[in-house]
Amino acid sequence: MNIQEAKFLMSNSRLEDCPPPTLPEYAFIGRSNVGKSSLINMLTGQKGLAKTSSLPGKTQLINHFLINNNWYLVDLPGYGYARVSKDSRVKWGRMINYYLRKRENLACVFVLLDSRHPPQAVDLEFMEQLGAEGIPFVMVFTKADKQSGSRTQQNVVTYLQTMQQSWDEVPRHFITSAEDKTGREEILQFIADVNEQLAQEADNA
Ligand code: GTP
Ligand code: MG
């Protein structure tokens, strides 16, 4: 899929203020600093579209981007950032959980995981929660450029084996690098396929 146009629409802390749920939506989530905003910039080919930072905690709100006038990308704040107060963590949880459970046009959640790290409890628990709520998601292993390809493969295999212990069917995964654009075509193709499937379902309804 080609990205003809990608524009920032709005930032919100409340689901009620988000754009009308009339187009398929893809939300990016994961630990602070895992590379959510960078991946959105890489996919859209616009470096400054989503704000990035080397310091965790950059993205604070629900950010909507409109792509090709046809679907939304959503950049969310990260979780698991140790220096955040308990109060903000509770607020984060409320805002994000409400958004994830209630956003009716949410087509798929992309859960970002750092390809350099072994499975972390906070991510495994987050995915368990998505599964329990019946929210569709895929996994994205980020920052693959930071180590050798064989090291990435090894870590991904370990991750999938861990997932197999609690999942009958392990969700689909992608390997990405915002630096060298690894995984870009695969993710855009996946989104195109889901968009197509949703359009067909709407036709048949
Ligand atoms: P929060 O908004 O704080 O939750 O973080 P985020 O997940 O949006 O991360 P962000 O995209 O801001 O990236 C965090 C840091 O990691 C930045 O310094 C990025 O340049 C760097 N980074 C992100 N993706 C990659 C990647 O694929 N490769 C490399 N080498 N660095 C990356
Ligand atoms: Mg961010």
Side-chain angles (χ1 to χ4, degrees), residues 8-83:
F8 170 70
L9 286 186
M10 53 169 93
S11 296
N12 293 297
S13 61
R14 283 164 23 108
L15 177 74
E16 291 74 16
D17 299 328
C18 289
T22 47
L23 299 171
E25 181 155 317
Y26 300 86
F28 286 50
I29 199 158
R31 285 160 74 90
S32 257
N33 214 44
V34 71
K36 300 174 291 294
S37 303
S38 302
L39 183 59
I40 287 180
N41 292 341
M42 184 272 261
L43 291 174
T44 57
Q46 287 190 33
K47 265 210 170 340
L49 189 65
K51 300 277 176 290
T52 66
S53 170
S54 55
L55 299 172
K58 179 69 182 170
T59 309
Q60 297 276 347
L61 294 165
I62 303 171
N63 298 286
H64 275 82
F65 301 90
L66 177 63
I67 315 298
N68 293 351
N69 254 322
N70 195 33
W71 47 281
Y72 297 123
L73 270 184
V74 174
D75 192 14
L76 295 171
Y79 54 75
Y81 176 35
R83 284 173 63 194

Side-chain angles (χ1 to χ4, degrees), residues 132-192:
E133 300 271 2
I135 299 166
F137 72 93
V138 294
M139 296 180 285
V140 179
F141 295 98
T142 64
K143 306 193 184 184
D145 61 283
K146 289 212 176 209
Q147 64 194 347
S148 70
S150 58
R151 191 62 211 253
T152 300
Q153 276 307 331
Q154 216 176 339
N155 286 350
V156 168
V157 167
T158 304
Y159 213 106
L160 299 179
Q161 283 168 347
T162 306
M163 291 293 284
Q164 269 160 10
Q165 290 166 15
S166 42
W167 293 80
D168 287 340
E169 207 178 316
V170 176
R172 187 165 169 183
H173 73 276
F174 299 91
I175 294 171
T176 64
S177 160
E179 286 292 312
D180 63 22
K181 296 191 163 63
T182 298
R184 183 172 186 273
E185 289 309 316
E186 290 85 349
I187 290 184
L188 291 179
Q189 187 59 53
F190 170 75
I191 292 173

